[in-house]
Amino acid sequence: MRFLHSLSFIYLAACSHAAEPVPDQQYVFSNPPASESSYKIPTSYESAVLGRRILALTPLGTLSTVFPDSSGLRQPDGLGGMPLGLMEYVADCEEDGNPTFLAIKIGSSFKNVDAGSNISLAQEWTPPYPPDKRIKSTWFNWFFGSDDDSKDRVPYSAVNLPRYSLLGYIEKVGEASTKALASCYVDTHPDSKYWLPGNPIHESEFVRLVVTKVYWIGGFGDRAYIGWIPVDEWKNVTRKEWENVRLPGEKKGWNEWSLDL
């Protein structure tokens, strides 16, 4: 009798888990028509506000460029037109959503830009706290737990979190703005004080990525906006707006399935 009671409890737990708002597999990577959506999908502007918060809180990103057609010193032949993605320090030091970089002249990304390459910056949100309630592969794992949880090297569903790519062009920062940018940049990256402009090690300069296009993936497509954000929306987000929103995992105790941040 106790065994049957336990089975009933397990069944109810499984049903409860099944009722969680799991993503519609058809719309994991794209948005459904408005008539088919079970959720209020954020607008492009609401997504821009979240994106600007990611930019403010995320000090690293991946810069993507392409190699020039001509071969350079210390590089193999045949690299012309090949893409290159490298980690780069990022700082949000201006109010219009243009990321700031301390460009080291010997760096491959900025050498490619000097040779005429296009450039983009990819950033993703990394929550400081893991969720209390993980997305599980089966209701059995959800109910009983899994020994593999402690070995999970990414303790959250990364594809369910927002990320973006900023496309644009590199613009040198004028000398009048360099001092203020240096203070902001070093606050974000304290070790960068050793290669500020004028250092005896490497030639460097402050530059900004002037954003011209924004591609956004807010998470699962049945509940988050996926697509292009108009660049004027990205640039018009105010500090007050992005300071007043929260991203998943900024606070402890969040649920990966929940739409509440």
Side-chain angles (χ1 to χ4, degrees), residues 158-195:
V159 295
N160 189 33
L161 293 174
R163 61 271 195 193
Y164 57 73
S165 183
L166 304 180
L167 289 71
Y169 60 91
I170 291 295
E171 180 179 83
K172 294 181 180 181
V173 173
E175 290 186 12
S177 304
T178 295
K179 186 175 181 179
L181 285 185
S183 176
C184 168
Y185 197 89
V186 171
D187 282 346
T188 305
H189 302 285
D191 56 332
S192 67
K193 67 182 180 180
Y194 295 109
W195 52 89

Side-chain angles (χ1 to χ4, degrees), residues 5 13 17 27 40-41 73 93 106 112 114-115 118 134-136 160 163 181 187 207 209 217 221 231 239 257 260:
H5 178 73
H17 175 61
Y27 299 114
K40 180 188 177 297
I41 294 176
L73 298 175
C93 294
I106 65 168
N112 287 346
D114 286 343
N118 291 324
R134 284 298 323 270
I135 292 175
K136 299 290 186 179
N160 189 33
R163 61 271 195 193
L181 285 185
D187 282 346
V207 300
L209 174 63
I217 300 178
V231 70
R239 174 178 289 272
W257 290 119
D260 297 324

Side-chain angles (χ1 to χ4, degrees), residues 129-133 251-255:
Y129 302 106
D132 276 1
K133 196 170 186 180
K251 297 184 294 185
K252 294 181 178 180
W254 64 290
N255 176 2

Side-chain angles (χ1 to χ4, degrees), residues 204-223:
S204 65
E205 63 182 352
F206 280 107
V207 300
R208 63 174 64 90
L209 174 63
V210 179
V211 178
T212 58
K213 292 180 176 59
V214 181
Y215 189 74
W216 170 265
I217 300 178
F220 292 141
D222 67 335
R223 64 197 67 188

